[in-house]
Amino acid sequence: MRVSIIGGGTVTEEKIDVAAETGRSLARRGHTVVCGGLGGVMEAACRGAKEADGRTVGILPTDRRADANEYVDVAVATGLGHARNALVPMNGDAVIAIGGSGGTLSEIGFSFVYDRPVAGLGTHDVPGVEACETPEEAVEYVEREV
């Protein structure tokens, strides 16, 4: 299964650790991590997935694949800026949101448009987002819901 991990590009060390563990947990279970391909939560999730021999996809807002973080296996350059936020949840079977602000909130909204289950780890408290305490709990939730 592909799981989109969404979250802020600039985040606390705590969120970095949560994102890396989420990526590792997904990879250990054989899932592919899809993200926005840049820094912060995105980079940490990809790093965690690679540490567990997982596969990663980065859907970039820029028109240059080279802008992807070093842990992205497949970089998709879109040149769409924030409009690429629609593509990140669309390309996952489920979504895990970690922290974030307005961009993450827009991706959560698109997750609902595409009927993707959303697990949240310290993210926006909105109806439809399943609040989880740990990365493992978030992964188990999306596995059950898909």
Side-chain angles (χ1 to χ4, degrees):
M1 161 168 75
R2 286 179 165 190
V3 178
S4 298
I5 297 183
I6 60 176
T10 304
V11 293
T12 64
E13 281 301 314
E14 178 187 352
K15 294 287 191 253
I16 294 292
D17 293 344
V18 167
E21 181 52 36
T22 303
R24 278 191 293 277
S25 182
L26 287 166
R28 279 191 227 110
R29 293 168 174 255
H31 305 304
T32 297
V33 168
V34 177
C35 69
L38 298 177
V41 162
M42 299 166 278
E43 183 173 8
C46 289
R47 177 175 46 83
K50 297 309 296 173
E51 289 170 354
D53 296 321
R55 187 152 172 83
T56 62
V57 177
I59 301 175
L60 300 160
T62 65
D63 62 357
R64 293 174 15 99
R65 291 189 313 259
D67 291 340
N69 73 63
E70 67 182 288
Y71 306 103
V72 169
D73 293 318
V74 178
V76 179
T78 68
L80 294 173
H82 289 291
R84 79 76 154 85
N85 289 2
L87 301 177
V88 176
M90 180 177 31
N91 282 282
D93 300 300
V95 175
I96 298 175
I98 302 169
S101 57
T104 303
L105 185 57
S106 75
E107 289 172 309
I108 289 171
F110 283 116
S111 301
F112 299 151
V113 169
Y114 303 127
D115 295 320
R116 304 303 195 254
V118 181
L121 292 164
T123 193
H124 301 279
D125 181 18
V126 296
V129 174
E130 179 70 19
C132 297
E133 295 296 318
T134 67
E136 192 69 22
E137 184 182 337
V139 171
E140 289 171 359
Y141 172 76
V142 297
E143 286 177 330
R144 276 192 316 271
E145 295 300 311
V146 171

